[in-house]
Amino acid sequence: MPSLKDLRNRIASVKSTQKITKAMQMVAAAKLRRAQDAVEAARPYAERMDEVLANLSGSISGSDAPPLMAGTGRDDVHLLVVCTAERGLCGGFNSQIARRAREHTRRLLKDGKQVKILCIGKKGYDILRRDFERSIIDRIDLREIKQIGFADASSIARRIIGLFEEGEFDVCTLFYSQFKSVISQVPTAQQIIPADVEKSDEQADSAEVKYEYEPDAASILADLIPRNIAVQIFRALLENAAGEMGARMTAMDNATRNAGEMIDKLSISYNRQRQAQITKELIEIISGAEAL
């Protein structure tokens, strides 16, 4: 049984931890609002970009389509771009994205495909390298970037497009966590090369309207698809930033509550042991007095 001094030290330690988790919760809550506004502003642009690509793709034949849309004609080498957070203490946020990427990788390997992994974020790299270290070609570090900008996404997009032009892969899939709410983030896989231009019901209705493009549709697509890749990566990074803050806020709130419950239990144990010790000393005093 721990002594009273050990219990006091333990209670003080848990109280210090509780202060830290409470502070982290408040910081995450403050950052969440800004991150949520950014992702909500980016979604309409990314969705509208998909609609434009879907409409343009119906205006050209398969032979005129640019390589980023038509692909290489093969399905042998897959590049997985896995976006996770740079830091932990955010519950299962990073592990859920990594699990989705891991399942996809194993399914591809089972089908006899070659898999290459590009990690954006330290935590995803730390998780995936345990099983697929040989498949990881590089890791992009964003720890020094306080606010994700479109220039950062454009740099990543140019690198991915460069790998495609060098013939390093045939299909590229982007993994990230779509932000739904503070307590809900959905791991998502999105194919970005070749461009996925399958039309939804709303896009199919809008596609009935005929547009005239100047210059031709193929020239516009050749310029628009690289921009769309950067937009989709930028959206994924913003979704991850909001999801990370929401997950951290929830995790730190749970940690603060658990610390409070632990303090209560330790305080009860401390009071009971102290009461027992006082009772024992009183009995010894009374017994000594009666013996005299």
Side-chain angles (χ1 to χ4, degrees):
M1 180 180 292
S3 64
L4 291 176
K5 182 178 180 181
D6 292 336
L7 287 173
R8 284 197 301 268
N9 292 338
R10 181 61 174 165
I11 292 172
S13 176
V14 176
K15 285 184 177 179
S16 298
T17 303
Q18 186 183 39
K19 291 179 181 178
I20 295 173
T21 57
K22 184 63 177 178
M24 293 184 66
Q25 177 191 351
M26 296 174 66
V27 171
K31 291 183 178 180
L32 173 62
R33 187 60 195 172
R34 184 168 61 249
Q36 187 174 354
D37 290 342
V39 73
E40 289 176 352
R43 282 174 182 169
Y45 185 84
E47 292 169 358
R48 187 60 179 167
M49 180 77 79
D50 287 338
E51 293 178 10
V52 173
L53 285 176
N55 192 288
L56 278 168
S57 65
S59 304
I60 62 174
S61 61
S63 59
D64 295 332
L68 289 173
M69 173 175 283
T72 62
R74 300 184 302 273
D75 187 28
D76 300 329
V77 184
H78 288 250
L79 175 66
L80 310 186
V81 181
V82 184
C83 302
T84 55
E86 294 287 351
R87 297 171 180 83
L89 296 178
C90 49
F93 174 79
N94 295 307
S95 60
Q96 289 175 357
I97 302 173
R99 185 184 302 114
R100 181 73 184 269
R102 188 188 297 114
E103 292 173 353
H104 191 77
T105 302
R106 289 174 175 167
R107 186 164 57 250
L108 291 174
L109 292 175
K110 185 178 180 181
D111 294 339
K113 311 296 183 182
Q114 182 182 354
V115 177
K116 298 180 179 180
I117 302 175
L118 176 63
C119 295
I120 303 176
K122 180 178 182 296
K123 289 301 177 181
Y125 171 77
D126 291 340
I127 296 173
L128 292 175
R129 70 174 179 176
R130 301 169 189 169
D131 299 323
F132 309 109
E133 186 172 6
R134 294 183 178 180
S135 300
I136 298 176
I137 59 175
D138 200 1
R139 174 173 72 90
I140 297 176
D141 192 346
L142 300 177
R143 281 179 294 179
E144 301 299 327
I145 301 175
K146 295 182 178 180
Q147 185 68 30
I148 297 294
F150 185 72
D152 305 310
S154 297
S155 175
I156 298 172
R158 286 194 298 270
R159 181 169 183 180
I160 294 173
I161 294 172
L163 291 173
F164 178 77
E165 292 174 346
E166 293 172 2
E168 294 293 329
F169 65 89
D170 302 316
V171 179
C172 179
T173 306
L174 181 66
F175 290 85
Y176 63 95
S177 185
Q178 186 177 6
F179 177 78
K180 294 292 186 181
S181 66
V182 175
I183 59 174
S184 176
Q185 300 87 33
V186 182
T188 304
Q190 178 183 0
Q191 180 178 310
I192 57 176
I193 300 176
D196 187 4
V197 292
E198 293 183 2
K199 299 178 182 179
S200 63
D201 294 338
E202 295 180 358
Q203 292 173 349
D205 295 337
S206 63
E208 296 179 358
V209 181
K210 300 298 181 181
Y211 296 95
E212 293 184 0
Y213 297 100
E214 181 66 29
D216 59 288
S219 301
I220 296 176
L221 281 174
D223 179 72
L224 199 61
I225 292 179
R227 187 185 302 271
N228 179 63
I229 293 173
V231 168
Q232 300 305 328
I233 293 175
F234 183 47
R235 176 187 178 181
L237 295 176
L238 292 178
E239 295 273 3
N240 265 12
E244 178 190 355
M245 291 304 148
R248 179 169 291 116
M249 179 180 171
T250 302
M252 292 300 101
D253 179 58
N254 292 334
T256 302
R257 294 175 184 271
N258 292 338
E261 293 176 1
M262 185 177 292
I263 290 171
D264 293 340
K265 291 180 180 179
L266 290 172
S267 297
I268 292 173
S269 298
Y270 175 82
N271 292 334
R272 285 177 177 174
Q273 188 170 338
R274 183 168 176 269
Q275 184 177 4
Q277 185 174 343
I278 293 173
T279 303
K280 180 181 178 181
E281 292 175 354
L282 288 174
I283 292 174
E284 291 176 352
I285 293 172
I286 295 172
S287 299
E290 290 178 351
L292 294 176

